[in-house]
């Protein structure tokens, strides 16, 4: 199951999705839980008892709600990706290093689990691979744990890849007026701002063809891809580590991908997943050079001021 909330700040709006899987014993595995509102918890509780909580990455929008969520479900086990840092707590490579404001039962091992690594009780139903890159010059690591749910041949990711649909997800109607969503430019501009590309417009293209009118949108819509912000911030700094992580995931036998943002589930093979990272091997970019200027500027700001990894 997927439980969605809408993240909005400044001019950026994006779906944030919690992935919920019922395990063989009937308990719930909750990956990337969002804010535990009354509606959210009611829907979750209807599915079964929450026994396992997963914080799969270090991105702020995913770790910010965890303390409130674990307070609502204090008996659930909590496993987190390594390298947590910032205002919502810190964790190194072991649970004993955790200072998150809530109990942390375990930290996912870097790379593939090895003999002797501590693993969660539910590990028999999943395989896992953890990307972890320490970027000391940016004051914080980049990390994400991807999971293969073996019984359903499902790849569960958070930010690894996205698929931008042709229309805004239904949850956008809970915040935006119908007249706004009906504007031909609305979704294209929302996508461009969410992936941090500049609002470059081709005024000669008709408004009825948003992919032509907004080249940045046309470059990312309708296919599985790596989010530009992660290409710029993480992959450019650690291409070898990202390439190794992707290759290890592509060895798994999955036929669909679940993600935390934009559309999900996505029908995709391991080869298609790996193809979203083909730029790491020198394939010509699909996003024009001039459309990287916003991310280049943010990168420079991060490096000059040591603001922390994304």
């Amino acid at each position: 199951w997927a439980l969605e909330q809408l993240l909005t700040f400044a001019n950026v709006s994006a779906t944030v999705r919690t992935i919920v899987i019922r395990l063989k014993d009937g308990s719930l595995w909750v990956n990337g839980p969002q804010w535990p509102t009354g509606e959210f918890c009611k829907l979750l509780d209807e599915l079964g008892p929450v026994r396992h909580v997963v914080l799969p990455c270090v991105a702020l929008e995913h770790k910010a709600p965890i303390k409130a969520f674990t307070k609502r479900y204090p008996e659930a086990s909590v496993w987190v990706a390594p390298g947590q840092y910032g205002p919502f707590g810190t964790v190194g490579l072991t649970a004993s290093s955790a200072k998150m404001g809530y109990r942390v039962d375990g930290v996912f091992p870097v790379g593939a689990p090895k003999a002797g690594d501590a693993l969660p009780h539910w590990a028999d139903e999943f395989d896992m691979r953890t990307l972890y890159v320490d970027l000391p010059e940016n004051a914080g690591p980049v990390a994400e744990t991807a999971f293969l749910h073996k019984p359903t041949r499902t790849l569960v990711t958070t930010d690894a890849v996205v698929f931008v649909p042709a229309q805004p997800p239904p949850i956008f109607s809970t915040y935006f007026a119908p007249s706004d969503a009906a504007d031909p430019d609305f979704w294209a501009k929302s996508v461009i701002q969410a992936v941090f590309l500049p609002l470059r417009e081709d005024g000669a293209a008709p408004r009825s063809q948003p992919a032509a009118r907004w080249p940045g949108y046309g470059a990312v819509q309708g296919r599985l891809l790596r989010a530009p912000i992660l290409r710029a911030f993480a992959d450019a700094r650690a291409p070898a580590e990202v390439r190794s992580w992707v290759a290890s995931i592509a060895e798994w036998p999955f036929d669909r991908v679940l993600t935390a943002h934009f559309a999900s589930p996505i029908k995709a093979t391991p080869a298609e997943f790996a193809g979203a990272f083909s730029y790491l091997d020198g394939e010509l970019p699909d996003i024009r050079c001039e459309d990287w200027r916003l991310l280049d500027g943010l990168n420079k700001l991060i490096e000059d001021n040591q603001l922390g990894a994304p």
Side-chain angles (χ1 to χ4, degrees), residues 174-186:
T174 65
Y175 185 82
F176 294 98
S179 58
D180 292 334
D183 187 310
D185 294 330
F186 170 79

Side-chain angles (χ1 to χ4, degrees), residues 197-248:
L197 295 180
L199 286 170
R200 184 170 61 85
E201 183 179 8
D202 181 353
R207 295 188 71 205
S208 60
Q209 298 178 18
R213 188 174 182 86
W214 301 98
Y217 171 72
V220 301
Q221 190 271 324
R223 59 191 181 82
L224 195 67
L225 76 153
R226 178 71 157 167
I229 191 170
L230 290 175
R231 284 178 59 170
F233 288 171
D235 304 358
R237 291 180 169 88
E241 291 87 346
V242 174
R243 186 184 294 109
S244 176
W245 182 59
V246 170
S248 68

Side-chain angles (χ1 to χ4, degrees), residues 101-122:
Y102 51 85
R103 188 190 75 255
V104 172
D105 297 293
V107 176
F108 298 118
V110 175
K114 299 175 288 295
D117 283 339
L119 294 175
H121 296 303
W122 42 263

Side-chain angles (χ1 to χ4, degrees), residues 219 223-226 231 239 243 271-289 292:
R223 59 191 181 82
L224 195 67
L225 76 153
R226 178 71 157 167
R231 284 178 59 170
R243 186 184 294 109
E272 289 169 328
F273 174 82
F277 297 82
S278 59
Y279 55 87
L280 290 170
D281 296 314
E283 185 171 305
L284 291 176
D286 39 79
I287 300 173
R288 293 177 59 172
C289 291
W292 288 100

Side-chain angles (χ1 to χ4, degrees), residues 15 30 76 81-82 91 94 115 126 146 177 201 208 227 233 235-236 255 260 309:
T15 304
V30 184
V91 175
T94 63
F126 292 83
E201 183 179 8
S208 60
F233 288 171
D235 304 358
D255 47 34

Side-chain angles (χ1 to χ4, degrees), residues 7-303:
L7 173 67
T8 61
F9 65 96
N11 59 353
V12 175
S13 302
T15 304
V16 184
R17 182 177 297 109
T18 297
I19 303 300
V20 182
I21 294 177
R22 183 183 290 141
L23 303 184
K24 290 184 293 187
D25 65 1
S27 66
L28 299 183
W29 180 87
V30 184
N31 185 63
Q34 283 298 301
W35 296 100
T37 64
E39 180 185 29
F40 187 98
C41 293
K42 179 178 182 296
L43 292 170
L44 190 57
D45 293 341
E46 288 174 355
L47 301 177
V50 175
R51 298 272 172 77
H52 308 288
V53 174
V54 172
L55 173 55
C57 66
V58 298
L60 288 174
E61 72 270 24
H62 299 292
K63 61 185 175 184
I66 301 294
K67 184 175 181 179
F69 189 85
T70 57
K71 186 175 181 179
R72 174 65 176 78
Y73 297 98
E75 301 303 316
S77 70
V78 181
W79 279 71
V80 305
Q84 303 295 330
Y85 68 96
F88 299 106
T90 61
V91 175
L93 300 178
T94 63
S96 62
S97 67
K99 297 179 180 178
M100 297 291 285
Y102 51 85
R103 188 190 75 255
V104 172
D105 297 293
V107 176
F108 298 118
V110 175
K114 299 175 288 295
D117 283 339
L119 294 175
H121 296 303
W122 42 263
D124 62 322
E125 297 186 47
F126 292 83
D127 204 346
M128 64 190 74
R129 296 290 184 273
T130 298
L131 170 68
Y132 174 82
V133 182
D134 196 5
L135 300 174
E137 72 276 14
N138 288 326
V142 171
E144 179 177 345
T145 302
F147 304 93
L148 173 69
H149 184 234
K150 292 183 282 189
T152 59
R153 297 172 58 91
T154 299
L155 172 61
V156 181
T157 68
T158 306
D159 296 328
V161 290
V162 295
F163 186 95
V164 177
Q167 301 294 330
I171 195 170
F172 272 65
S173 66
T174 65
Y175 185 82
F176 294 98
S179 58
D180 292 334
D183 187 310
D185 294 330
F186 170 79
W187 180 234
K189 292 172 69 174
S190 296
V191 168
I192 292 170
Q193 292 171 128
V195 299
F196 290 87
L197 295 180
L199 286 170
R200 184 170 61 85
E201 183 179 8
D202 181 353
R207 295 188 71 205
S208 60
Q209 298 178 18
R213 188 174 182 86
W214 301 98
Y217 171 72
V220 301
Q221 190 271 324
R223 59 191 181 82
L224 195 67
L225 76 153
R226 178 71 157 167
I229 191 170
L230 290 175
R231 284 178 59 170
F233 288 171
D235 304 358
R237 291 180 169 88
E241 291 87 346
V242 174
R243 186 184 294 109
S244 176
W245 182 59
V246 170
S248 68
I249 293 172
E251 294 175 351
W252 288 340
F254 58 85
D255 47 34
R256 66 173 181 168
V257 180
L258 306 183
T259 70
H261 304 290
F262 293 107
S264 190
I266 307 155
K267 185 177 180 180
T269 65
E272 289 169 328
F273 174 82
F277 297 82
S278 59
Y279 55 87
L280 290 170
D281 296 314
E283 185 171 305
L284 291 176
D286 39 79
I287 300 173
R288 293 177 59 172
C289 291
E290 61 193 295
D291 286 333
W292 288 100
R293 65 179 183 268
L294 175 60
L295 288 171
D296 287 342
L298 289 173
N299 245 337
K300 187 175 187 306
L301 180 68
I302 288 171
E303 291 176 351

